[in-house]
Amino acid sequence: MGETGRRAINRPWPVVSGPEVVIVPDEMIGGARAAAIIADTLSSAVAERGRADWATTGGSTPIGIYQAMLAPDARDRIPWRDVQTWWGDDRFVPGDHPLSNVRPFDDILLEAGGWESVHSDDHRGKVRIPVANVHPFRTGEAIGQGRSAAACAADLVEELRAAGLPEVDGWPVFDLILLGLGSDGHILSVFPGSSAFGSMRWALAIPAPTHIEPHVERVTLNPAVVTVAGRALVVAYGAAKAEMVGRIFGSDRDPRALPAQLVLRDGATWLLDEAAAARLPR
Ligand code: 6PG
């Protein structure tokens, strides 16, 4: 993609120096706030460039967010026909496995029965998303065929290239990337000291971590995508994350040791509940 294509990516949020930090009283309000940011960002991208590409996250954080995305004010504002959904990372398990990062999206946000065509006159409280717009890592397929996590990541790279997202510095530009925060400071499946930092692949396999659960092999986008995404939204709740949030915002900066420090950038929003924000430096 040339310069012209790159300039066409408009940023509808104010340019600030460094991340915006939003502190909410609890997860319920956090979910609603995140859903509003997601709806705004996706609808603006569709209005500006005819489509939106976002990467969602795994773990427990998106559950309340997906629930809030079903509320009519968020649901009806997201132009799902033109929204392409990707995942920042996944565990190398089939999509219907309890550890899958796709399963909460499927179970909460979509009609029972999976991804179907959009019928705007028949929401029945949930959303319907064209199957062609949903781009998980094809873990189940790879596992079924006896192929490796690395091959699965390579398939995703091919799918991403075919989708023709704009690029900056050779990295695909998502309009929005939603991220949870690991208690060790990881984002995506990029753990402290990860070999992903030396990789030029858009997506790659990560060996099962031994220091943090679940101990399963992963597939992840390259952390560089977080630095070029139009908007990044990090969501963290609970006292157990407070110390890590404090370290991330502290004066020692080394994203290889604390990958979440990659998201201390303009165009990033950190959405924290009061417990997670308790040790933010003043
Ligand atoms: C994963 C992730 C990971 C997650 C954080 C936060 O697959 O484990 O995508 O980066 O977002 O570990 O997890 P919680 O939302 O469960 O706190």
Side-chain angles (χ1 to χ4, degrees), residues 196-252:
F197 283 102
S199 170
M200 294 306 291
R201 295 178 201 275
W202 283 6
L204 60 156
I206 300 291
T210 52
H211 70 293
I212 198 162
E213 289 189 350
H215 307 300
V216 288
E217 198 175 10
R218 316 291 182 99
V219 278
T220 188
L221 295 179
N222 190 298
V225 300
V226 168
T227 66
V228 300
R231 186 168 193 174
L233 172 60
V234 186
V235 182
Y237 303 130
K241 301 228 169 132
E243 195 198 333
M244 183 46 70
V245 169
R247 277 183 63 199
I248 289 163
F249 280 81
S251 49
D252 291 344

Side-chain angles (χ1 to χ4, degrees), residues 56-62 88-91 99-101 178-184 186-191 212-214 218-219 235-237 241:
T56 185
T57 187
S60 58
T61 305
D89 71 320
D90 207 345
R91 289 80 182 263
L99 290 177
S100 163
N101 283 350
L178 173 65
L179 298 160
L181 173 68
S183 54
D184 60 348
H186 81 262
I187 50 167
L188 306 167
S189 282
V190 176
F191 301 102
I212 198 162
E213 289 189 350
R218 316 291 182 99
V219 278
V235 182
Y237 303 130
K241 301 228 169 132

Side-chain angles (χ1 to χ4, degrees), residues 80 111 116-119 122-124 126-130:
W80 285 108
E111 289 280 5
E116 300 174 27
S117 301
V118 170
H119 295 288
D122 177 25
H123 283 305
R124 289 188 307 190
K126 296 210 173 185
V127 296
R128 289 186 171 188
I129 300 178

Side-chain angles (χ1 to χ4, degrees), residues 36 42 53 87 124 146-147 157 197 217 272:
L42 298 182
D53 290 87
W87 271 260
R124 289 188 307 190
R147 297 168 70 239
V157 172
F197 283 102
E217 198 175 10
L272 309 170

Side-chain angles (χ1 to χ4, degrees), residues 163-188:
L165 274 67
E167 292 176 25
V168 165
D169 298 335
W171 300 106
V173 176
F174 292 89
D175 297 292
L176 170 68
I177 183 154
L178 173 65
L179 298 160
L181 173 68
S183 54
D184 60 348
H186 81 262
I187 50 167
L188 306 167

